[in-house]
Amino acid sequence: MFEKLNQIIAMAGAQDKTPLFSITDEAGEKGKIDIPDSLPLLALKNTVLFPGLVIPITVGRNRSKIAIQKAYKGDKLVGVFSQRDMTVQTPGQEDLYEVGTLAKVVKLVTMPDGNTTAILQGRTRIHLDQLLQTEPNLEAKVTRITSPKDTSKEFKVLVKTVRENAQKIIELSPTIPSEAVLMLQNIKDDRFLLNFIASNLNVNVEAKQEMLSITDSMEKGTEILKRMREEMEALEIKDQIESKVRGNIQKQQRDYFLNQQLKTIQDELGTNPQAEVIKELALKGKDKKWPRHVQEHFEKELTRLKRMNPQVAEYSIMMSYMETVLALPWEEYTEDNFDLKKVKAILDRDHYGLDDVKDRIIEHLAVLKLKGDMKAPILLLVGPPGVGKTSLGRSIAKALHRNFIRMSLGGLHDESEIRGHRKTYIGAMPGRIVQSIKKAKSANPVFILDEIDKIGKDFRGDPSSALLEVLDPEQNHSFYDNYLELEFDLSKVMFIATANSLNTIQPALLDRMEVIDISGYSSEEKVQIAKKHLLPKQRKEHGLKAANVGMNEKVLMKLIRGFTRESGVRGLDRVIAGVMRSIAKKVAMEEEYNTRLTVDDIKDLLGADKFHDNTFNKIKKPGVALGLAWTRVGGDMLHIEASVSKGKGGLTLTGNLGDVMKESATTALSYIKANAEEIGIDPDIFEETQIHIHVPAGAIPKDGPSAGITMLTALTSILTGRKVKSGLAMSGEITLRGKVLPVGGIKEKVLAAKRSGMKKIILCEENRKDIEKINEAYLKGVEFIFVEEMEDVLTHALGK
């Protein structure tokens, strides 16, 4: 508000003391001015002239110059109308507002740039009746608009309120000159006060024109008061914001000066904490064993930290960064244990079996002992849950005298978890690889990357792609972390990744690791593991001693076969824990019990068996055959049933089967149709018989080619009416020519068959080599039949 007062003072007051406002016709001037029939017009683009106000106008358009010169030479009267559209250069009657102001040309001033400035004094409001001419200047016929004087009390109160609000606005606005208060005090006429304030309100031309057009004084005052209150609210908000900003700046300046004084005092006393911390960092950096480029970077950042104000936010970020760089074990290595026999003894003591992994670790140490230096291996242990993949890493670290660190990758989605965040971000930190190395306190720990097959991927990046650099022996000597902005040598770290399946691991990542399959344990192996590890551990965890409870191998075998059905020993561990809880309860309550548990005691403690070995052993009807399947949790038995009914010769498959398994069923039926007479089946039966194959446990998805010979055996059995021999399981892929092809997961399948009480297993001849790798002690009681043709399978399964 009142933004134009400085300009008015400069233009009007500097000339010949022209008054800033004057008494007008509307205010009651004696003798009204006669308005000529043809009045020169001046079209204004961006302002509105109110009666009583004096304003300077810069005249630039030729028609406007002619009109103002003509008026100045004559009676000095000119009609001032505002344009509706400022972009119109030659306005017509429709381009001008209907209500304007009759003005007196007080002064004409020629400016140095050639433009003419006219000092205009508003006299009274006029109405544009008709535009008489447009060339060489605008002239029109106008009529005076009279405004009756309002003497009511309501109007007096309204004017008083407007005046008070105007003074408040002047106080709130720092840009309004001090003369404005004096002007308000000198204005005695109420209608002129309203015109004066309306002219100086900070609103657009349309709003000012609307206020000029209002004839009723009460209505006009109400509209002006409404506009003033809007402006005052904006000014109050602005004042509040500026007060807060001023307060914040003053507080920052005060804190700065106080901190500078405190720093000076601390320097004089020699007790500056920031300087002490920086000095301590410098001493640690001097004694630190690290690469030259890291030392140079540290010294550079330390010099930068010394120059930094401790009060700025970046200071704490830099301090955390320096402490992280200093805490990392750059060239700090633990000394490996090269007593290979002792290493082997420790591995054998902590884990039963797992010979392939143990041999690989011993081989690496042997080469390291002879060569003196080599890159650490990157191993991937793949096997079902509970076989000891993760705990093996801790045992390896103990045997090698290395530090141990474990990092779980299950459910990891963000690439920054591996590479870290740039330190410019608030809350930035190194990636979990560098954090783990820092926690390990050596640059050559045994590093377990657990559940690497369960890494996720989303919009935040692909963590498995970030691991490519970590697990590549050709790249990990210079692993780059975004937070450190330095390269860290990971080539001495022994990475051991664990997974349950290879299917979900990115091929490029899988190619960088040495895969070692860890298959499930046999019942005999589980007995030894329970004796040497699980039983002592659970006794200790439940506060029992060897004298309180003991189990022989027969009891342990009962627990394994009657209460667990798994490849690992995690379930067995829970079963033994259940027995220990029952015994602990008896000891605590001083009840009598048998300290050397028997099979009968187990039934009393745990109840009836959950699993039975002979579940699959007896086959009572034709059309049923037992297959072997591999799952992520080890081997399992596959029950395949076939039935026939009258129909049109179709094949129905149920049991949640995958595409490969469905194809195996179709192939088996095609082979039987092609060789029906040789097998002893009437070829015409297929046209009038509906065949149905079902694999129980329909909620579980099943797929793979290894059930091919089992499906063919079940179909032949139902079509010939001959039962499959009991205690017989089989696994193998078939072809249309009747060939039997090899399959994988043999050890897991064999162990599953033995757990289920199978006496004979039919496999492809090419799988003989897989059986030879299994310890003979674990194969005791099982006869293996190796075949090459489907005819041999049917002979052994159904008889000649």
Side-chain angles (χ1 to χ4, degrees):
M1 184 174 174
F2 308 119
E3 286 80 359
K4 297 181 180 177
L5 285 178
N6 286 328
Q7 185 182 8
I8 295 171
I9 292 169
M11 293 301 302
Q15 297 301 320
D16 54 356
K17 306 301 181 183
T18 303
L20 295 176
F21 50 85
S22 63
I23 302 300
T24 66
D25 291 356
E26 288 190 348
E29 184 182 24
K30 292 180 181 180
K32 294 183 179 179
I33 299 174
D34 293 329
I35 302 174
D37 294 336
S38 179
L39 182 69
L41 295 189
L42 187 64
L44 300 184
K45 285 187 176 182
N46 53 7
T47 188
V48 177
L49 177 61
F50 282 80
L53 271 293
V54 176
I55 63 170
I57 298 294
T58 300
V59 183
R61 290 180 283 191
N62 289 330
R63 293 196 298 178
S64 298
K65 287 180 181 179
I66 294 170
I68 206 75
Q69 292 286 352
K70 185 175 182 180
Y72 190 65
K73 292 176 182 178
D75 55 8
K76 294 187 169 40
L77 295 179
V78 65
V80 178
F81 290 86
S82 298
Q83 287 186 204
R84 297 179 186 274
D85 186 356
M86 291 187 296
T87 60
V88 177
Q89 293 298 320
T90 56
Q93 184 169 348
E94 68 279 0
D95 299 315
L96 300 174
Y97 286 104
E98 294 178 351
V99 178
T101 302
L102 178 68
K104 181 180 179 181
V105 183
V106 178
K107 190 78 173 178
L108 282 182
V109 181
T110 302
M111 305 304 290
D113 59 357
N115 287 328
T116 299
T117 298
I119 308 297
L120 302 180
Q121 182 185 50
R123 305 295 292 177
T124 186
R125 293 187 304 143
I126 55 177
H127 183 274
L128 178 60
D129 296 333
Q130 182 181 359
L131 191 63
L132 301 176
Q133 69 175 47
T134 57
E135 295 295 342
N137 63 286
L138 295 176
E139 290 196 12
K141 180 182 179 182
V142 299
T143 55
R144 187 193 312 269
I145 300 175
T146 58
S147 300
K149 189 173 183 179
D150 193 333
T151 58
S152 64
K153 289 183 180 180
E154 290 83 358
F155 181 68
K156 291 292 184 183
V157 173
L158 178 63
V159 172
K160 185 179 179 181
T161 306
V162 169
R163 192 185 296 272
E164 291 172 354
N165 278 273
Q167 290 177 350
K168 288 181 182 179
I169 291 175
I170 292 171
E171 292 171 3
L172 288 171
S173 180
T175 59
I176 297 178
S178 58
E179 290 89 338
V181 180
L182 182 61
M183 289 180 182
L184 285 177
Q185 293 173 352
N186 291 334
I187 297 175
K188 304 302 181 184
D189 185 87
D190 295 341
R191 287 183 295 174
F192 175 69
L193 177 66
L194 295 179
N195 286 337
F196 178 77
I197 292 174
S199 177
N200 288 284
L201 278 175
N202 188 23
V203 295
N204 55 30
V205 173
E206 288 80 2
K208 288 185 178 182
Q209 181 65 39
E210 182 182 348
M211 288 183 279
L212 178 67
S213 302
I214 298 174
T215 301
D216 184 72
S217 299
M218 194 72 185
E219 184 183 350
K220 185 173 187 178
T222 303
E223 179 66 22
I224 292 172
L225 184 61
K226 174 186 170 186
R227 301 282 184 179
M228 290 178 72
R229 284 181 175 167
E230 290 176 358
E231 185 171 347
M232 191 160 58
E233 287 177 4
L235 286 171
E236 286 174 349
I237 295 171
K238 181 181 178 183
D239 184 61
Q240 290 173 6
I241 295 171
E242 288 178 349
S243 298
K244 289 180 182 178
V245 172
R246 281 195 302 270
N248 291 337
I249 292 174
Q250 288 170 1
K251 184 179 183 300
Q252 289 176 6
Q253 290 175 340
R254 179 175 175 274
D255 292 345
Y256 175 76
F257 286 125
L258 288 174
N259 280 301
Q260 288 299 111
Q261 291 174 359
L262 180 63
K263 183 179 178 183
T264 304
I265 294 169
Q266 289 172 340
D267 288 340
E268 290 294 326
L269 296 174
T271 58
N272 190 333
Q274 283 82 21
E276 290 294 323
V277 172
I278 292 174
K279 184 179 179 181
E280 185 180 347
L281 288 175
L283 289 174
K284 288 182 179 179
K286 188 176 180 181
D287 299 334
K288 185 79 173 176
K289 185 180 179 182
W290 49 14
R292 183 174 181 81
H293 74 279
V294 178
Q295 183 177 0
E296 291 174 355
H297 179 79
F298 178 81
E299 291 173 353
K300 179 182 175 182
E301 295 296 316
L302 191 64
T303 304
R304 183 179 165 208
L305 187 64
K306 290 177 182 177
R307 296 196 301 265
M308 197 176 290
N309 182 1
Q311 300 307 312
V312 300
E314 193 180 358
Y315 183 85
S316 59
I317 295 174
M318 279 298 299
M319 184 62 72
S320 299
Y321 173 74
M322 299 298 285
E323 289 173 350
T324 301
V325 173
L326 202 57
L328 283 172
W330 290 94
E331 289 184 349
E332 299 173 20
Y333 305 105
T334 55
E335 188 174 345
D336 287 332
N337 176 20
F338 290 115
D339 187 344
L340 303 186
K341 293 182 179 179
K342 187 176 180 180
V343 171
K344 190 175 188 306
I346 293 173
L347 293 174
D348 289 338
R349 181 194 68 197
D350 291 348
H351 284 79
Y352 188 85
L354 306 178
D355 295 331
D356 290 344
V357 188
K358 294 175 183 176
D359 290 343
R360 183 64 184 85
I361 300 301
I362 299 297
E363 289 168 3
H364 169 69
L365 281 180
V367 176
L368 194 61
K369 182 178 180 180
L370 297 175
K371 187 174 181 288
D373 181 33
M374 71 172 295
K375 294 176 181 177
I378 298 172
L379 307 178
L380 174 59
L381 309 182
V382 183
V387 296
K389 300 184 295 298
T390 304
S391 61
L392 181 63
R394 195 180 298 274
S395 179
I396 291 171
K398 188 193 302 181
L400 299 183
H401 293 175
R402 288 193 181 192
N403 296 333
F404 173 79
I405 196 71
R406 173 184 167 273
M407 174 180 166
S408 178
L409 299 175
L412 196 69
H413 287 82
D414 194 350
E415 181 187 351
S416 298
E417 291 284 336
I418 305 295
R419 293 191 181 277
H421 305 81
R422 300 193 183 280
K423 66 175 183 286
T424 52
Y425 297 119
I426 295 174
M429 60 180 65
R432 290 178 63 185
I433 297 291
V434 171
Q435 288 186 51
S436 300
I437 295 293
K438 175 184 171 183
K439 193 184 297 182
K441 298 180 180 178
S442 67
N444 64 334
V446 174
F447 200 132
I448 293 290
L449 296 171
D450 219 0
E451 311 293 355
I452 198 171
D453 58 327
K454 296 174 181 64
I455 294 179
K457 181 171 71 170
D458 63 8
F459 64 92
R460 289 168 289 188
D462 183 4
S464 62
S465 297
L467 281 174
L468 294 176
E469 182 183 2
V470 177
L471 299 180
D472 190 343
E474 301 300 324
Q475 299 182 45
N476 64 7
H477 64 277
S478 57
F479 172 68
Y480 185 84
D481 186 273
N482 291 329
Y483 180 81
L484 288 182
E485 296 180 346
L486 291 167
E487 294 177 346
F488 193 91
D489 185 6
L490 297 176
S491 61
K492 302 294 190 297
V493 179
M494 180 179 285
F495 286 105
I496 300 177
T498 69
N500 298 128
S501 172
L502 300 178
N503 297 335
T504 56
I505 301 177
Q506 188 184 129
L509 185 61
L510 185 63
D511 184 59
R512 284 162 166 77
M513 297 181 284
E514 184 178 338
V515 180
I516 298 177
D517 287 311
I518 300 179
S519 54
Y521 296 113
S522 66
S523 297
E524 290 78 9
E525 286 177 316
K526 291 181 182 180
V527 168
Q528 297 302 319
I529 292 171
K531 279 176 61 178
K532 296 179 180 179
H533 302 285
L534 304 183
L535 193 56
K537 182 188 80 169
Q538 291 298 341
R539 267 201 297 247
K540 183 179 178 181
E541 289 184 358
H542 289 82
L544 300 173
K545 298 179 181 178
N548 296 125
V549 61
M551 299 183 194
N552 58 30
E553 292 188 4
K554 187 176 180 182
V555 173
L556 291 173
M557 187 63 77
K558 175 66 175 177
L559 294 177
I560 292 166
R561 291 185 173 176
F563 295 90
T564 66
R565 190 68 90 227
E566 59 178 348
S567 294
V569 292
R570 200 166 282 156
L572 177 60
D573 192 33
R574 286 193 289 267
V575 171
I576 294 175
V579 174
M580 293 299 120
R581 287 194 297 272
S582 299
I583 298 299
K585 175 186 171 186
K586 293 181 181 296
V587 173
M589 299 180 69
E590 298 181 355
E591 298 178 2
E592 291 186 4
Y593 68 96
N594 186 6
T595 57
R596 293 294 173 262
L597 298 179
T598 64
V599 174
D600 293 334
D601 294 328
I602 295 298
K603 185 176 181 180
D604 294 336
L605 294 173
L606 300 180
D609 293 359
K610 292 183 179 180
F611 304 98
H612 300 278
D613 287 342
N614 60 353
T615 303
F616 299 99
N617 212 352
K618 296 178 181 179
I619 297 177
K620 299 179 180 180
K621 295 181 179 181
V624 179
L626 299 179
L628 298 172
W630 180 92
T631 68
R632 289 190 179 187
V633 295
D636 201 359
M637 297 297 298
L638 199 64
H639 207 106
I640 294 180
E641 302 171 342
S643 67
V644 292
S645 59
K646 289 185 178 181
K648 297 181 180 180
L651 174 64
T652 303
L653 300 172
T654 56
N656 203 349
L657 308 184
D659 291 338
V660 177
M661 206 164 182
K662 290 178 180 177
E663 290 171 0
S664 296
T666 305
T667 304
L669 183 59
S670 297
Y671 173 80
I672 293 173
K673 288 180 178 180
N675 299 274
E677 293 181 355
E678 297 176 11
I679 297 172
I681 300 172
D682 182 7
D684 298 331
I685 195 174
F686 297 107
E687 296 180 3
E688 54 191 29
T689 303
Q690 181 73 23
I691 300 174
H692 187 172
I693 296 178
H694 177 67
V695 183
I700 302 173
K702 311 168 191 71
D703 204 1
S706 61
I709 64 172
T710 315
M711 287 183 167
L712 193 143
T713 302
L715 286 172
T716 306
S717 172
I718 193 66
L719 291 170
T720 59
R722 291 181 288 173
K723 289 192 303 180
V724 178
K725 295 178 181 179
S726 296
L728 175 67
M730 60 191 74
S731 182
E733 184 180 354
I734 61 171
T735 69
L736 280 174
R737 297 176 291 112
K739 296 288 184 182
V740 180
L741 303 180
V743 291
I746 294 299
K747 183 178 179 182
E748 288 84 355
K749 292 177 179 179
V750 169
L751 295 178
K754 192 175 180 186
R755 283 198 302 267
S756 301
M758 295 293 105
K759 303 301 181 184
K760 294 181 181 181
I761 300 176
I762 299 177
L763 295 172
C764 175
E765 178 64 38
E766 293 184 31
N767 285 126
R768 186 188 293 272
K769 63 182 184 300
D770 299 306
I771 298 298
E772 292 172 352
K773 293 180 182 179
I774 305 174
N775 192 327
E776 292 183 4
Y778 306 150
L779 305 178
K780 190 176 180 181
V782 179
E783 178 186 350
F784 290 93
I785 302 170
F786 299 101
V787 297
E788 294 181 348
E789 301 286 341
M790 212 36 240
E791 296 174 2
D792 301 328
V793 175
L794 297 178
T795 299
H796 290 288
L798 302 175
K800 293 184 180 180

